[in-house]
């Protein structure tokens, strides 16, 4: 198999993986009464730590005005907090509250438990190959990110 065919096969496998992990049971966050957009905001903030509304809106490629209602709802639910931006008094900084962090961590744990159960059924040699492949993928992604950031 040449490289192009190999890449096409891998992308197909990743798509199948995503579909199969979603198809077996309802999403664990259904009971949270959060929209997909609210969950995306929470997960992004869990990675970033803190961010301004403008930065968050830019990350999602939407106007800041469209983003305000998502933020307001998450603040009302006690999952996000707003703090004054020390660099710009007209703006504020968003971060997850302890409850917001707890919700995100619970969702991650549910996902990890599901994957762990599947991985435990795989043969050892397949696990070793998968680990090596994922490490190589992460390294390539980090190198690309470094190249992108280095060009700015």
């Amino acid at each position: 198999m040449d490289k192009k065919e190999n890449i096409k096969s891998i992308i197909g496998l990743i798509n199948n993986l995503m579909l199969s992990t979603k198809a077996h049971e309802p999403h664990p966050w259904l009971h949270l009464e959060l929209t997909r957009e609210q969950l995306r905001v929470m997960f992004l903030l869990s990675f970033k730590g803190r961010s301004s509304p403008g930065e968050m809106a830019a990350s999602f490629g939407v106007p800041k005005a469209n983003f305000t209602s998502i933020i307001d709802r998450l603040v009302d639910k006690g999952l996000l907090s707003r703090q004054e931006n020390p660099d710009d008094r007209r703006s504020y900084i968003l971060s997850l509250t302890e409850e917001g962090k707890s919700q995100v961590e619970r969702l991650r744990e549910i996902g990890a438990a599901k994957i762990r159960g599947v991985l435990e059924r795989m043969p050892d040699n397949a696990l070793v190959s998968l680990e090596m492949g994922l490490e190589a993928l992460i390294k390539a992604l980090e190198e690309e990110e470094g190249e992108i950031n280095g060009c700015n």
Side-chain angles (χ1 to χ4, degrees):
M1 184 182 304
D2 73 357
K3 191 169 188 170
K4 279 188 174 185
E5 289 174 356
N6 201 326
I7 290 170
K8 184 178 177 181
S9 174
I10 289 169
I11 290 172
L13 290 168
I14 290 171
N15 286 336
N16 288 342
L17 173 67
M18 300 303 265
L19 289 172
S20 67
T21 58
K22 291 179 181 177
H24 295 310
E25 57 190 68
H27 293 290
W29 55 79
L30 287 177
H31 71 281
L32 297 177
E33 297 180 10
L34 296 171
T35 66
R36 178 180 291 164
E37 290 78 19
Q38 290 169 341
L39 284 166
R40 290 176 62 206
V41 166
M42 290 177 62
F43 273 90
L44 184 58
L45 273 175
S46 76
F47 287 113
K48 292 183 133 209
R50 300 167 39 118
S51 185
S52 73
E55 290 170 342
M56 293 291 291
S59 294
F60 290 109
V62 298
K64 184 178 170 184
N66 296 3
F67 206 67
T68 304
S69 64
I70 296 170
I71 293 168
D72 290 343
R73 287 186 194 107
L74 288 169
V75 169
D76 291 344
K77 290 177 186 270
L79 301 171
L80 278 190
S81 68
R82 292 185 184 118
Q83 299 166 343
E84 186 178 295
N85 185 342
D87 299 327
D88 182 358
R89 291 186 179 263
R90 297 169 297 162
S91 181
Y92 52 91
I93 299 294
L94 301 168
S95 60
L96 290 173
T97 62
E98 288 306 314
E99 178 61 22
K101 290 175 188 175
S102 175
Q103 293 281 356
V104 169
E105 187 55 34
R106 269 188 254 137
L107 291 171
R108 284 191 178 125
E109 287 173 9
I110 290 168
K114 181 176 182 175
I115 294 294
R116 188 177 302 109
V118 172
L119 292 173
E120 287 173 354
R121 293 195 316 258
M122 290 175 60
D124 290 349
N125 62 338
L127 286 172
V128 170
S129 296
L130 179 60
E131 182 179 19
M132 288 174 36
L134 289 173
E135 286 173 348
L137 178 61
I138 290 167
K139 182 179 178 190
L141 289 168
E142 288 170 348
E143 289 171 358
E144 182 174 313
E145 182 69 23
E147 291 171 8
I148 291 170
N149 289 335
C151 291
N152 290 341

